[in-house]
């Protein structure tokens, strides 16, 4: 498998041509139709709980990176999301006014944000690896990058947030 790093794509780029149908569940599209966000091997969108989807948008507004995203390039040149589907679907749904966030004490959709915040979201750069390989290589990579990590317990989360001599 051959991965190629791309750092020139933005949230706005991936949201161009974004198609989402919550009843269909599969075949979400972006990047002007060049990207299949939810190919058949991906699970359904599960971030629509009012917490995880909002956390993705909150991260963008705070300028936090969203982590690595992986695409597979098929022999026809089409791109498919290997890893990052939940994040991409979250910001795509937000930019198309499918859910609101709490902003300045009130629920606000993307269309209700001021232009500066809209631009901050749309111009957020993404770190994407586009992978080319055989189907078995891609499936093995998909399995490798989707291994569930061990969640932190409450004390480990507190220690991660609060530092100092007492914690040490």
């Amino acid at each position: 498998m051959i991965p190629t790093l791309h750092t020139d794509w933005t949230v706005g780029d991936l949201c161009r041509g974004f198609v989402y149908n919550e009843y269909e569940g599969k075949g979400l599209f972006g990047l002007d139709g060049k990207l299949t966000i939810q190919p058949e091997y991906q699970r359904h969108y599960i971030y629509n709980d009012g917490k995880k989807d909002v956390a993705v948008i909150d991260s963008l507004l705070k300028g936090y990176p969203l982590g690595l995203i992986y695409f597979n390039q098929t022999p026809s040149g089409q791109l498919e999301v290997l890893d990052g589907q939940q994040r991409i679907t979250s910001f795509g749904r937000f930019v198309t006014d499918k859910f609101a966030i709490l902003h300045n004490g009130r629920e606000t959709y993307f269309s209700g944000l001021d232009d500066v915040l809209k631009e901050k979201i749309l111009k957020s750069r993404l770190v994407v690896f586009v992978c080319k390989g055989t189907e078995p290589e891609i499936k093995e990579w998909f399995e490798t990058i989707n291994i569930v990590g061990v969640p932190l317990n409450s004390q480990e989360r507190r220690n991660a947030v609060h530092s100092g001599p007492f914690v040490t």
Side-chain angles (χ1 to χ4, degrees):
M1 187 179 63
I2 304 168
T4 305
L5 176 63
H6 292 265
T7 57
D8 51 339
W9 282 321
T10 64
V11 167
D13 292 331
L14 268 60
C15 288
R16 271 197 322 271
F18 181 79
V19 174
Y20 177 77
N21 178 344
E22 62 187 296
Y23 301 109
E24 187 175 317
K26 295 286 182 188
L28 309 175
F29 299 97
L31 205 59
D32 284 328
K34 297 177 190 126
L35 174 66
T36 304
I37 298 168
Q38 200 175 76
E40 287 303 313
Y41 50 82
Q42 286 280 6
R43 65 180 168 196
H44 292 287
Y45 179 61
I46 60 171
Y47 271 27
N48 60 341
D49 62 359
K51 294 178 184 173
K52 293 182 190 97
D53 50 1
V54 169
V56 169
I57 304 310
D58 189 46
S59 294
L60 291 171
L61 289 171
K62 290 178 179 175
Y64 299 162
L66 290 183
L68 295 176
I69 294 173
Y70 294 92
F71 295 165
N72 169 41
Q73 185 170 12
T74 66
S76 69
Q78 181 74 8
L79 299 172
E80 298 176 333
V81 176
L82 278 173
D83 188 54
Q85 181 251 130
Q86 302 293 327
R87 290 168 281 162
I88 293 168
T89 304
S90 292
F91 60 65
R93 287 181 68 244
F94 183 69
V95 167
T96 56
D97 284 340
K98 300 282 191 273
F99 72 94
I101 60 168
L102 194 61
H103 180 67
N104 292 333
R106 63 186 178 94
E107 281 195 353
T108 307
Y109 288 86
F110 179 80
S111 60
L113 291 175
D114 66 54
D115 290 341
V116 172
L117 293 178
K118 287 179 188 176
E119 283 298 304
K120 184 170 188 168
I121 290 171
L122 293 174
K123 291 191 176 187
S124 293
R125 292 211 173 269
L126 302 168
V127 179
V128 179
F129 278 98
V130 175
C131 306
K132 291 182 186 178
T134 64
E135 186 175 335
E137 289 174 323
I138 296 300
K139 286 183 177 178
E140 180 182 342
W141 184 243
F142 179 76
E143 184 177 16
T144 301
I145 60 177
N146 283 288
I147 293 173
V148 178
V150 177
L152 297 174
N153 66 37
S154 297
Q155 186 59 47
E156 289 168 329
R157 281 194 302 277
R158 285 189 293 271
N159 288 349
V161 173
H162 305 288
S163 61
F166 179 75
V167 173
T168 304

